[in-house]
Amino acid sequence: MIKISGAVIEPFDVSLADLATLPRRELTADLHCVAGWSATNLRWEGVAFEIFYRTIIEPSVQPDTSVTHLVFGGLDGHRSVVSIEDALTEDVLIAERLDGRPLDGDHGAPVRLVSPNQYGFVSTKHLWRIELHTAEPTGVHTSPAMRLLKPHPRARVWEEERHRYLPAWSLRPVYRLLIPPIRFLSAHGSRRRRTPSPPP
Ligand SMILES: Nc1nc2c(c(=O)[nH]1)N[C@H]1C(S)=C(S)[C@@H](COP(=O)(O)O)O[C@H]1N2
Ligand SMILES: [Mo]
């Protein structure tokens, strides 16, 4: 169930059965965490967010209202803010499957957002609500890490948009120092991610 609220005529719920009526989309992409690790070659399956937005959400937007930002909320309290332009680009997905299997608890079950051109924190897992806003919302990030880091509002990976105020060149040496420890940690993470469980 995904709850739609904010600049809509009336808040409403979209069930996973509703989602299943929309055309399927498959996408192979990498996921780049802002802290410096990447998971490569992930095969996502789900629904293109643009189609979801145009067919399910947009008909319920309040008349004469211009939606500028969406907030994607996860069941664990994680939230991400995405401009409407970024959300409607073509490789943004509401994903239900990864590498041929339903999403597991680690990677966002039952459904998650996937926006491969933006840093990983945008791709809210365990998606359960989408709020529509008519201006950039403030105070969305409630976790201590996100409040400290002041994430970049667009977070495009290829522009290195990590931080809202600090330019990419000033952060590059810091993140370079982080590569060895993060490589070590994500070696463990990716083993968990990749290794099939042994036969009983
Ligand atoms: N609900 C929720 N979504 C989330 C997060 C989270 O903590 N909770 N972490 C984000 C971050 S920082 C990253 S890098 C990716 C990681 O996705 P993965 O766990 O599938 O590798 O999920 C993003 N989505
Ligand atoms: Mo991340």
Side-chain angles (χ1 to χ4, degrees):
M1 191 85 91
I2 304 174
K3 296 189 165 294
I4 314 293
S5 63
V8 282
I9 298 162
E10 181 125 43
F12 62 99
D13 296 342
V14 182
S15 69
L16 298 184
D18 299 332
L19 200 64
T21 63
L22 299 175
R24 307 269 94 197
R25 168 93 201 275
E26 204 178 299
L27 171 82
T28 299
D30 301 339
L31 179 79
H32 304 281
C33 173
V34 72
W37 57 263
S38 298
T40 53
N41 226 13
L42 306 172
R43 187 161 57 84
W44 302 106
E45 293 165 63
V47 171
F49 184 75
E50 187 182 5
I51 293 186
F52 180 82
Y53 188 81
R54 300 276 183 229
T55 53
I56 306 227
I57 301 185
E58 203 166 45
S60 302
V61 170
Q62 289 165 2
D64 304 317
T65 299
S66 165
V67 173
T68 60
H69 293 79
L70 305 174
V71 175
F72 294 88
L75 286 164
D76 60 351
H78 181 92
R79 298 170 88 203
S80 62
V81 187
V82 189
S83 74
I84 191 78
E85 292 80 13
D86 289 339
L88 297 180
T89 57
E90 82 135 323
D91 50 11
V92 179
L93 222 66
I94 295 187
E96 296 174 283
R97 297 171 69 84
L98 169 61
D99 292 335
R101 286 182 295 276
L103 290 179
D104 63 21
D106 279 349
H107 299 299
V111 292
R112 72 179 292 173
L113 190 72
V114 176
S115 179
N117 291 320
Q118 294 178 287
Y119 284 115
F121 63 81
V122 169
S123 294
T124 294
K125 302 190 271 191
H126 322 295
L127 180 64
W128 79 292
R129 61 188 307 163
I130 302 174
E131 293 161 28
L132 281 63
H133 291 262
T134 55
E136 188 185 347
T138 53
V140 164
H141 299 294
T142 49
S143 78
M146 292 292 266
R147 279 166 64 160
L148 188 72
L149 287 171
K150 301 262 186 296
H152 192 283
R154 298 201 65 190
R156 288 170 299 177
V157 173
W158 303 115
E159 313 292 329
E160 289 184 74
E161 291 171 336
R162 290 189 150 96
H163 195 279
R164 180 178 285 262
Y165 304 110
L166 303 173
W169 62 262
S170 71
L171 290 173
R172 226 171 272 147
V174 179
Y175 281 94
R176 224 160 260 162
L177 284 175
L178 287 174
I179 288 173
I182 285 170
R183 181 174 292 151
F184 173 77
L185 291 172
S186 46
H188 292 267
S190 56
R191 204 165 302 139
R192 203 186 54 206
R193 183 191 302 273
R194 291 285 178 206
T195 311
S197 41

